[in-house]
Amino acid sequence: MRTPRTEKGRLALVLGLAAAVTVFTATVPLLRGWFDLKVYYGTVNAWIHYGGHVYDYRVPGTTYGFTYPPFAALCMLPMAFVGLHTAIALALLFNLAALAAVVRILVGRELGRYGWFGWGLAACALALFEPVRDTFSFGQVNLLLLALVLADAWLLSTGRGRWAGAGVGLAAAVKLTPAVFIALLLLARRWRAAAVATAVAGAATLLAAWAAPDASRFYWTSALWDTTRVGRLDYVSNQSLQGVLARLAAPDDPSRAAWALAVVVVLAVWAWRTHRALRAGDWRAAFALTGLIACLISPITWVHHLVWLLPSFAVLVHARRLRTAAALYAVLCTSVVWLWFNDASGIDGFLGSNTYTWITLGLLLGLPVGQSRSGRLPSSRSASATAAPVPRPTAPASVAASGQSEGSSSSLRGVVVGSAVGPERATPEPSGSSEPTGATRPAASKPQSSSERASS
């Protein structure tokens, strides 16, 4: 596919795509009415202004309340001093900033070659991606946590590892799922980063225990182990291994032994494939694989949690698996799992209602690893050497000019053939080588109604 050559043509293409995305978003998937943000807002508002307990609050008309560790409530305290609409506006801004940071870290250098045009196409593509649009519409925190974790990946891959691990630690203190990245740091023998992540998570948890001792005691002794507070395990939005088993066993509870066995198996596959990636110096793939396993082993992985798949898409396009990336992206834009909202029985229900889980498993097994040396994480012994590369003879001006000319006319098809996660090359590649109240509108009658699940 050839992209427009003129600025007017590019502007027309981006505006046309933006219009199509707007129509699709407004008519096909349900908007979630910032349901989860209202849970956060109502919780901290009741806690600060009415003396309520963090885990006692419920959104009016529902059984759903706060499910994160107490440190998350502490981080959300500023919402208690603004109105709900201001909180929604701030959440949108924070999510936009986090998404921009994620894209910048994963493929920003490549998008930068195309200026506003590349960023415009990326924005349209991400707006269609169901996990991203759900994160915005629910007012969720997933993109913020992903940005924190990827910031550590960037620090480590560029040799600036002194404070690496702090992002993972903060993310794990807000929500337990990112704690699996500490295991990655240990597997990679990044002892300092693992220690920093553990210390930051521990310090944040102790701070929350000091600020809200009763809430901390209740969370770690009771709420953490009660999955019914979050929502039904067999709900079709739960695209984890436990969700698959729960839909098979429904209406009975899934076998814990079967789930534990499945978790052990996928963890073994993750350790094997991640070890291969780390041996090849492919830190980008190692982080992507860890995001996949976080989604699989979590008892509940709502669709919006699948923003953790974004690093895997960056790996696919970097390895030139463009058709695979496009096909998986298209499926994850369709909301296809909701077709089995009422009945997930039978072969079609087993295959269709778990579509996103199959995609996550397929990526865990087939994601390219060790494909790029540009994703190499500098070792501690060579960090100083990479910080001061040996000067190279300057190329003739005519050769440099020719390379720039050919690079500027390349197709947008190569927009994501690299990643800002890896260190920059010393020389360019040859050309031709990319809640106090419920929702303010009536409850939706479609199966994706936000009242079906809790904040998670």
Side-chain angles (χ1 to χ4, degrees), residues 101-449:
V102 167
V103 175
R104 175 67 184 86
I105 292 171
L106 291 175
V107 292
R109 187 172 56 189
E110 289 67 40
L111 287 179
R113 298 173 185 172
Y114 301 91
W116 67 268
F117 181 57
W119 283 92
L121 293 181
C124 291
L126 289 169
L128 286 177
F129 194 63
E130 186 177 1
V132 171
R133 67 177 191 250
D134 270 7
T135 293
F136 275 86
S137 190
F138 272 123
Q140 259 287 340
V141 299
N142 305 299
L143 286 171
L144 296 169
L145 303 183
L146 178 58
L148 284 172
V149 169
L150 289 181
D152 276 349
W154 179 80
L155 288 173
L156 287 166
S157 65
T158 54
R160 301 176 176 91
R162 182 175 182 180
W163 293 106
V168 169
L170 282 174
V174 171
K175 192 173 183 178
L176 297 181
T177 304
V180 71
F181 285 90
I182 299 178
L184 169 62
L185 297 174
L186 293 172
L187 186 64
R189 298 185 179 183
R190 290 288 166 165
W191 312 121
R192 179 187 176 91
V196 169
T198 304
V200 169
T205 301
L206 290 175
L207 175 63
W210 170 80
D214 292 340
S216 295
R217 187 180 305 109
F218 177 77
Y219 178 80
W220 295 108
T221 61
S222 179
L224 173 62
W225 316 103
D226 183 8
T227 57
T228 61
R229 290 180 56 87
V230 183
R232 298 192 338 257
L233 290 175
D234 65 329
Y235 185 49
V236 74
S237 183
N238 183 14
Q239 292 293 306
S240 68
L241 294 174
Q242 179 129 285
V244 174
L245 296 174
R247 283 184 285 278
L248 279 174
D252 299 322
D253 293 331
S255 167
R256 292 190 177 184
W259 176 62
L261 179 60
V263 167
V264 169
V265 170
V266 297
L267 280 174
V269 174
W270 166 79
W272 166 58
R273 302 218 69 221
T274 303
H275 181 66
R276 286 186 57 195
L278 292 170
R279 286 188 63 185
D282 194 351
W283 196 248
R284 179 190 299 108
F287 260 77
L289 289 167
T290 307
L292 296 172
I293 203 68
C295 294
L296 290 170
I297 67 175
S298 175
I300 291 183
T301 297
W302 300 132
V303 169
H304 55 76
H305 294 166
L306 297 179
V307 294
W308 292 99
L309 270 60
L310 288 176
S312 295
F313 280 91
V315 171
L316 286 174
V317 294
H318 180 83
R320 306 296 182 92
R321 305 288 182 87
L322 301 181
R323 291 183 179 179
T324 300
L328 296 182
Y329 162 82
V331 174
L332 281 162
C333 290
T334 60
S335 302
V336 64
V337 297
W338 298 99
L339 294 175
W340 288 271
F341 170 77
N342 290 316
D343 184 9
S345 61
I347 296 297
D348 65 315
F350 176 69
L351 296 176
S353 68
N354 302 308
T355 299
Y356 297 167
T357 308
W358 307 143
I359 289 176
T360 309
L361 280 169
L363 287 170
L364 178 66
L365 294 171
L367 194 71
V369 299
Q371 298 292 313
S372 169
R373 311 306 292 181
S374 67
R376 176 178 294 280
L377 176 67
S379 66
S380 57
R381 290 178 297 178
S382 62
S384 61
T386 58
V390 178
R392 299 177 63 89
T394 303
S398 60
V399 175
S402 173
Q404 291 173 359
S405 174
E406 294 179 14
S408 62
S409 63
S410 62
S411 169
L412 187 61
R413 189 168 179 263
V415 68
V416 281
V417 297
S419 170
V421 174
E424 296 196 9
R425 299 176 182 272
T427 57
E429 294 182 356
S431 61
S433 43
S434 239
E435 215 109 77
T437 58
T440 56
R441 60 184 176 82
S445 60
K446 296 183 182 179
Q448 289 163 290
S449 172

